[in-house]
Amino acid sequence: NSFSGSLPTQIGAMTGMRSSMNLNYNSFSGSLPTQIGAMTGMTYGMRLDDNSFSGSLPTQIGAMTGMTSSMGLSWNSFSGSLPTQIGAMTGMTSVMVGEGIGFDSQHARV
């Protein structure tokens, strides 16, 4: 795909979405909307890799406590530290923050 621009705040209204939101390999840019944390029904796989997202990861992402699979954040331009609220996602199997990501290195170990 070649979607571009910012991710709309209305994404938080997708509360019934349960699995596999794959937005990787596009050209989305800007910050992730805080409303993404309202997707509390999401249980499996959120891929945001290889876009141009920037800024801090919203703390509200920690409200997605039903996630039991992976979240891909690699190859973006996030900055700062991983929010501590991500620790509430206790069922998560992995958070991929590999190559090309700008989080402070001491906080990138999840």
Side-chain angles (χ1 to χ4, degrees):
N1 294 318
S2 38
F3 293 117
S4 60
S6 59
L7 203 56
T9 58
Q10 291 85 350
I11 196 163
M14 298 172 67
T15 56
M17 181 172 245
R18 299 282 180 248
S19 67
S20 292
M21 184 169 79
N22 296 317
L23 299 175
N24 49 331
Y25 304 109
N26 282 288
S27 296
F28 287 111
S29 59
S31 298
L32 284 180
T34 58
Q35 292 84 349
I36 202 165
M39 298 176 72
T40 56
M42 177 72 75
T43 59
Y44 185 82
M46 179 179 283
R47 301 298 306 263
L48 303 171
D49 316 79
D50 206 1
N51 280 284
S52 295
F53 290 117
S54 60
S56 298
L57 201 60
T59 59
Q60 291 84 350
I61 208 161
M64 300 173 73
T65 56
M67 289 283 283
T68 59
S69 185
S70 61
M71 178 179 287
L73 301 170
S74 300
W75 294 107
N76 282 289
S77 297
F78 291 114
S79 59
S81 302
L82 284 172
T84 57
Q85 291 83 351
I86 210 164
M89 301 167 83
T90 57
M92 182 82 78
T93 58
S94 65
V95 177
M96 295 171 280
V97 293
E99 302 292 325
I101 199 157
F103 291 123
D104 295 340
S105 60
Q106 76 260 26
H107 296 290
R109 292 180 233 116
V110 179

